[in-house]
Amino acid sequence: SYYIVYQGVGATDDYASAQLTPIDTVTALSYFDEALQFGGYNIYRVEAVDTLTGYRAFTNFGSTFVKDYGAPEYIEIQSASVLNQDSVEVKLIMQPTALSFRYELQRYEPVSQSWEEVIVQDVSAALEISFTDEERATDVFCYTYRVLVYNSCGLVVDTTNIAKTILLDGEANQERLVNTLAWSPYEEWQQGVEFYEIYRKLKNSDYELIEEVNAGASLFYEDDVSELVQTDGDFMYRIEAVEKNDGERDTFRSVSNEVNLSIDPIIWIPNSMVIGGYNELFYPVISFALVEEYHMVIFSRWGDLVFETRDVKEGWDGTMKGRTVQEGTYNYFITVKDGLGRAIDRFGHISVFNYD
C-alpha cells in the first residue's frame, strides 16, 4: 500500500550501529531526500506495508557519504543601501568558510508576490560580499531583499534575514521657509533601528549631519531654512538608519535615496528712491538665489540705458554717466537664477525723487 523511508547518520557505514528513524511515507518506487545530513554517512532503509494483510517487509540497507557542506555558522545582510537613483547595494557578512558556497541575492516582487533571482556569486573564505542591483527606481519604490545559500550539491542550506531599503520623500514650503521630510522605516535588523540621522548638503559642499531622530518617535522632520537665505535655495537630503547594536561588532548602517528640494528666490524690490535722501541707492534684496547669475539694467522711459550691473551688492545711485538724472519714472529689468539654474526675471519701474 505504501513505503516508509528510514534514515540515520553515522561516522561509518556500519548499519548495525545506525539509529534509523522514519522520515517520510511514499507510494512511488523512488525518493529524493532534501533533508540529508552533512558530515557523515547517510544510511537508508525502506519498509513496505500492505494494509490489507498487515504484512511488512524491509529492504537491504544503503548508504552514501555526504561531506560537510553545511551553511556558514553566521550569515546576515548587513545593509541594503541606495547608491544612486537606479542602484541598490546589498552587503552580506558571514563567518569565513574553506568551502565554496553559492550566494543568490533575491528581490521580492509585490505584484507577483514572489522572490526573483537578481545576482549569484560563488564565494569561499570571505568575510563580506557586496551585491549591486541596478536599473531600480530608488526614488519611487522601496526594495526588499534576501540571500539564499547553496552548497556544492545545489541544496539551500541557509536563508538570511530580510532587508528593505529606505524611501525618502520631501516637500519645500515657500511660505514658511521649511523643507519637510518623510521616510519609510528600514527593515529589518535583528535588534531593529536605534535612530535615523538626517543629512543636508548645499551646493559645492559635503553632506552634514543636521539632526538625529529616535526610531520609535517619528519618521518625519521639518528643516527650518530661514537662516540660510544667503544660499542658492537648493538643498539635498538623505537619511541614514543606524542599527541598535550591543557593541560586540561595528554598527550597521543603511542609506536612503537622495531628495532635492528647492526654495524659490525671494526678491524684494523698492518702488522709489530719493537722491540725497534716506533711500538714495536702488537695489533689490534677494534670498535663495544664485547671485553669481545676477543682472540688473535701468532704462529711461525713452529706452536709454541708464545703469547696468552684474554685482548684486552694487546699487544705482540715481546718476547716468556721472550726472544726476532728472526726477521721474525709470524702468528696471532684474534677472537671477534659482538653485536649479532656472532664470527668474522681474520687470517694473521706480520713481526717482531729488531731495534737493
Side-chain angles (χ1 to χ4, degrees), residues 177 225 228-229 231-233 235 263-266 286-290:
L177 299 183
V225 295
L228 300 172
V229 293
T231 69
D232 63 4
F235 304 94
I263 298 289
D264 291 338
I266 299 174
I286 301 177
S287 304
F288 299 116
L290 286 169

Side-chain angles (χ1 to χ4, degrees), residues 18-56:
Q19 298 291 324
L20 272 63
T21 58
I23 59 172
D24 210 344
T25 298
V26 298
T27 57
L29 298 178
S30 63
Y31 182 73
F32 184 69
D33 183 13
E34 296 183 359
L36 73 165
Q37 302 297 307
F38 301 98
Y41 284 89
N42 282 241
I43 302 171
Y44 299 92
R45 197 181 190 190
V46 176
E47 180 184 12
V49 179
D50 183 353
T51 56
L52 294 178
T53 63
Y55 296 158
R56 293 170 176 261

Side-chain angles (χ1 to χ4, degrees), residues 41-281:
Y41 284 89
N42 282 241
I43 302 171
Y44 299 92
R45 197 181 190 190
V46 176
E47 180 184 12
V49 179
D50 183 353
T51 56
L52 294 178
T53 63
Y55 296 158
R56 293 170 176 261
F58 281 96
T59 67
N60 57 306
F61 290 90
S63 68
T64 183
F65 181 73
V66 181
K67 295 181 181 180
D68 187 7
Y69 289 139
E73 292 184 14
Y74 170 76
I75 182 169
E76 183 178 0
I77 292 182
Q78 173 181 335
S79 64
S81 293
V82 175
L83 290 179
N84 48 52
Q85 287 188 342
D86 59 5
S87 298
V88 174
E89 181 184 51
V90 179
K91 288 185 177 180
L92 185 70
I93 61 171
M94 69 203 73
Q95 183 74 28
T97 60
L99 298 173
S100 178
F101 289 89
R102 173 161 292 183
Y103 299 88
E104 179 185 301
L105 177 68
Q106 293 186 334
R107 181 181 62 247
Y108 184 74
E109 297 297 336
V111 176
S112 61
Q113 297 186 349
S114 62
W115 292 93
E116 296 188 3
E117 178 186 312
V118 179
I119 305 171
V120 173
Q121 294 190 43
D122 292 325
V123 179
S124 64
L127 287 168
E128 182 178 299
I129 304 175
S130 178
F131 302 90
T132 301
D133 185 17
E134 299 179 334
E135 298 183 4
R136 301 296 101 205
T138 59
D139 56 348
V140 180
F141 302 106
C142 297
Y143 293 96
T144 304
Y145 298 92
R146 72 179 183 183
V147 176
L148 300 187
V149 185
Y150 294 83
N151 63 17
S152 60
C153 298
L155 299 176
V156 176
V157 293
D158 205 349
T159 303
T160 67
N161 56 307
I162 302 297
K164 188 175 183 179
T165 59
I166 306 169
L167 178 61
L168 173 63
D169 197 7
E171 184 177 67
N173 189 309
Q174 188 72 29
E175 294 182 358
R176 297 173 56 215
L177 299 183
V178 166
N179 289 328
T180 302
L181 305 174
W183 60 94
S184 64
Y186 178 80
E187 301 173 6
E188 55 189 25
W189 288 310
Q190 184 175 1
Q191 301 298 326
V193 177
E194 181 77 31
F195 54 85
Y196 293 94
E197 294 179 340
I198 303 173
Y199 289 85
R200 181 183 64 208
K201 182 173 73 170
L202 306 178
K203 188 161 291 183
N204 300 322
S205 65
D206 297 326
Y207 270 108
E208 64 171 338
L209 175 65
I210 60 172
E211 191 63 77
E212 288 183 1
V213 177
N214 187 289
S218 176
L219 300 176
F220 172 87
Y221 181 74
E222 286 191 340
D223 184 26
D224 184 352
V225 295
S226 60
E227 299 297 323
L228 300 172
V229 293
Q230 300 304 317
T231 69
D232 63 4
D234 190 41
F235 304 94
M236 297 292 295
Y237 294 92
R238 78 180 186 203
I239 303 294
E240 289 192 18
V242 180
E243 177 202 23
K244 188 180 294 182
N245 189 3
D246 54 15
E248 295 184 358
R249 53 167 173 73
D250 292 340
T251 301
F252 296 159
R253 289 173 170 265
S254 175
V255 182
S256 75
N257 58 301
E258 290 183 321
V259 166
N260 186 193
L261 300 179
S262 181
I263 298 289
D264 291 338
I266 299 174
I267 305 175
W268 180 84
I269 304 173
N271 58 11
S272 62
M273 63 181 293
V274 181
I275 300 174
Y278 179 76
N279 185 29
E280 59 182 356
L281 281 179

